[in-house]
Amino acid sequence: MFKPNVTVATIVHAQGKYLVVEEWVNEKPTWNQPAGHLEANETLLQAAKRELYEETGIDACPSQLIKIHQWIAPDKTQFIRVLFAVELESICETQPQDSDISACHWVSAQEILESQYLRSPLVAESLRCFLTGTHYPLDILAAYGEDYL
């Protein structure tokens, strides 16, 4: 049976800047939104909040659903990526808890869209989706039977 990878990602926006996390892949720095895999016994929203904290040290809950992508990576690995957003009042300090994250950077939308450091093209596409302004309330998602979570 085919089982795609389920991941979550969060656009973090404050004062016209966007937060990217930097991790080294194949000996070069790459940028991504705070993102990671859905773990056992958690909802999509819980996964997004956990990944945001682990990768940035920011303890915030996403406030909007932006998009759900099915992405087929160049190696043919398939992902279902659920994209959320967090709007912060101001740019804040970051303290990654995950040792794979080497740094966090507050950058402009243009810097992301023109970057040669993106982990995948989906990083820029996610920002473009955020910038369209089509955002959905979180209650569009539901974990049916979440009593077992």
Side-chain angles (χ1 to χ4, degrees):
M1 173 187 286
F2 173 68
K3 295 181 182 179
N5 295 284
V6 177
T7 61
V8 295
T10 303
I11 300 278
V12 182
H13 177 247
Q15 299 177 314
K17 298 286 185 175
Y18 300 87
L19 187 63
V20 293
V21 297
E22 178 185 282
E23 53 191 329
W24 287 72
V25 177
N26 298 325
E27 299 182 21
K28 64 181 194 172
T30 62
W31 286 2
N32 198 0
Q33 284 92 23
H37 289 269
L38 175 68
E39 299 290 340
N41 300 318
E42 68 183 358
T43 65
L44 292 166
L45 196 55
Q46 289 168 338
K49 184 175 181 182
R50 175 185 51 76
E51 288 290 347
L52 178 62
Y53 180 74
E54 287 177 3
E55 295 196 355
T56 69
I58 296 172
D59 187 15
C61 190
S63 57
Q64 304 161 62
L65 173 67
I66 305 302
K67 190 93 171 187
I68 300 173
H69 286 101
Q70 179 177 356
W71 184 55
I72 303 168
D75 68 358
K76 303 300 182 207
T77 303
Q78 290 200 39
F79 296 86
I80 303 297
R81 187 176 196 247
V82 182
L83 179 64
F84 294 96
V86 167
E87 295 274 358
L88 300 176
E89 288 185 26
S90 59
I91 292 172
C92 61
E93 293 291 319
T94 58
Q95 293 184 319
Q97 308 297 301
D98 183 336
S99 61
D100 289 339
I101 305 301
S102 56
C104 296
H105 307 284
W106 288 97
V107 297
S108 69
Q110 203 62 33
E111 287 174 283
I112 293 171
L113 296 173
E114 294 175 357
S115 177
Q116 300 300 307
Y117 300 109
L118 302 184
R119 178 137 185 201
S120 79
L122 200 49
V123 176
E125 179 60 20
S126 294
L127 179 60
R128 283 191 283 276
C129 290
F130 176 83
L131 293 172
T132 67
T134 304
H135 304 171
Y136 303 94
L138 294 177
D139 65 4
I140 198 169
L141 296 174
Y144 183 77
E146 68 181 68
D147 293 342
Y148 69 90
L149 295 181

